[in-house]
Amino acid sequence: MDYMIERLKAMKIRLEEIDKILSNGIADQKKMIALAKERSVLETPVSMYNDLLFLMSDKNDAELMMKDPDDEVKEMAKETFAELTDKIEEKRAQLQIALLPKDENDDKNVIMEIRGAAGGDEANIFAGDLYRMYGRYADKQGWKMQVLDSMPTALDGFSLISVKIIGKGAYSKLKFESGAHRVQRVPVTEANGRIQTSTATVLVMPELQHVNITINPSDLQIDTYHSSGAGGQNVNKTESAVRITHIPSGIVVSCQVERDQLANKETCMEMLKAKLQAKHDEEVALKVGGERRLKVGTGERNERIRTYNYPQNRVTDHRIGYTTLNLPKIIDGDLDDLLHALEEANQKDMLEEETKKLKEMNFESTDNQ
């Protein structure tokens, strides 16, 4: 049984049902919104399926024409048949991608946390480089970046910087950036010209709004302090900055972007919910297992995901074996090729998982006959 075609048939029937309901009108606003959302999910794959049906119909016509007694017609039909066979295979491959499970967070904004890790001052400098790299990429995408909290160090570095990246599809583009980023270069603090290896960690989370995460107020330790600017100088005479510690998990979040303490507290609670959700997702992923090379939103910061080698002008993503010899281009925020390669690798892994499931379904179906 071709499970993909059967699934598409069911989706087409469901889309027709939704269109009929919507055309008749619905008094229930919530139901109408839910149906419109479901329709938007079905529309693209069903449209592609209709294209596939047309191609298959044309292929059948070409196959019939191949039996024509006229040699010229027969030869033309053979060429058409071959072309349509290729187009059908291409369309089926596109449909496989279109039918992959969608990440409901893909269109959300991002909360990103970058920390200097191993390597002292050089690690903090590298954290600053990564912050500026993502900032340039955000600019190229037309997104906005808002600093939520920062702990600047000397030489334009950060021991910690938290930002919100606001833009459609931000999470879909950046969700594979969580992990340990390694740099190999001669630090500006190195007088003898020796190459040093340092790391900075990146955690990417979707911004979660109006989510049903229950937090017991008694589990929170809330501290206020003076917000500070570059170099650590106080920029606000009132204690508007807020730090919240979630005692059961040990998660700490802080925000000093607003001059109003209440606004900073609200942002902290958003960040805390995002971190708690990421922690929950990581625990679920560990229980379920899976063979995918790319982990989404787990912040597995012990795992080295990428190396930026300055002497060799090389950037390598170790998860997918991607290498480019244009490091300045990457650091300047030209991340499209790299992020596209990560998305393609993830789609390949998901396809393998789906294919495995379909084989198991086929085996069970055959076994029950």
Side-chain angles (χ1 to χ4, degrees), residues 94-351:
Q94 292 170 353
L95 272 164
Q96 281 186 308
I97 299 295
L99 290 173
L100 289 174
K102 299 295 185 292
D103 189 334
E104 61 183 16
N105 293 319
D106 273 353
D107 286 335
K108 292 182 180 175
N109 299 329
V110 159
I111 293 174
M112 176 182 285
E113 180 183 279
I114 305 171
R115 291 177 181 269
D121 289 338
E122 170 63 5
N124 295 332
I125 293 169
F126 181 47
D129 292 339
L130 291 177
Y131 158 63
R132 285 179 283 277
M133 178 184 79
Y134 291 121
R136 292 177 190 124
Y137 178 70
D139 286 342
K140 293 175 193 289
Q141 300 297 310
W143 301 337
K144 293 181 180 179
M145 179 182 274
Q146 178 186 28
V147 176
L148 301 176
D149 190 25
S150 67
M151 295 181 185
T153 62
L155 303 173
D156 295 325
F158 294 93
S159 59
L160 163 70
I161 183 159
S162 300
V163 299
K164 181 190 291 188
I165 299 175
I166 304 165
K168 185 173 175 60
Y171 185 70
S172 69
K173 299 276 189 180
L174 296 171
K175 61 185 176 182
F176 301 121
E177 292 301 288
S178 288
H181 295 239
R182 181 175 72 169
V183 64
Q184 294 174 324
R185 65 185 175 188
V186 179
V188 293
T189 55
E190 174 57 57
N192 297 321
R194 291 175 297 188
I195 295 172
Q196 179 178 319
T197 298
S198 305
T199 58
T201 61
V202 177
L203 176 61
V204 176
M205 302 167 287
E207 181 188 25
L208 300 179
Q209 296 177 323
H210 313 299
V211 291
N212 189 23
I213 295 178
T214 303
I215 298 175
N216 190 334
S218 64
D219 289 337
L220 302 179
Q221 177 183 317
I222 302 175
D223 302 303
T224 59
Y225 57 98
H226 296 296
S227 60
S228 60
Q233 72 268 28
N234 288 334
V235 296
N236 193 345
K237 293 182 179 179
T238 62
E239 291 192 346
S240 61
V242 176
R243 180 187 301 110
I244 297 180
T245 303
H246 185 249
I247 297 169
S249 66
I251 292 173
V252 180
V253 294
S254 54
C255 180
Q256 55 177 310
V257 68
E258 304 290 351
R259 290 185 176 273
D260 178 67
Q261 188 182 108
L262 182 60
N264 284 328
K265 183 179 177 182
E266 289 175 354
T267 301
C268 276
M269 290 303 293
E270 285 182 20
M271 295 168 68
L272 178 58
K273 288 178 180 179
K275 282 200 170 188
L276 287 170
Q277 186 64 52
K279 186 174 185 293
H280 173 265
D281 292 345
E282 181 179 5
E283 291 169 352
V284 170
L286 287 171
K287 287 179 182 177
V288 173
E291 300 174 358
R292 263 196 280 168
R293 291 164 289 177
L294 302 172
K295 304 296 183 183
V296 181
T298 59
E300 294 178 353
R301 296 192 275 189
N302 293 327
E303 180 188 359
R304 182 194 68 197
I305 65 167
R306 191 175 301 148
T307 294
Y308 304 73
N309 186 300
Y310 276 73
Q312 297 178 18
N313 195 36
R314 171 173 53 82
V315 176
T316 299
D317 194 287
H318 304 288
R319 295 165 296 179
I320 61 174
Y322 176 93
T323 295
T324 176
L325 296 176
N326 200 338
L327 185 148
K329 183 179 173 183
I330 296 290
I331 292 297
D332 193 44
D334 195 344
L335 301 176
D336 282 330
D337 290 346
L338 171 56
L339 298 181
H340 182 66
L342 287 165
E343 179 57 32
E344 281 193 335
N346 183 56
Q347 288 177 348
K348 182 180 177 183
D349 289 345
M350 291 176 72
L351 279 172

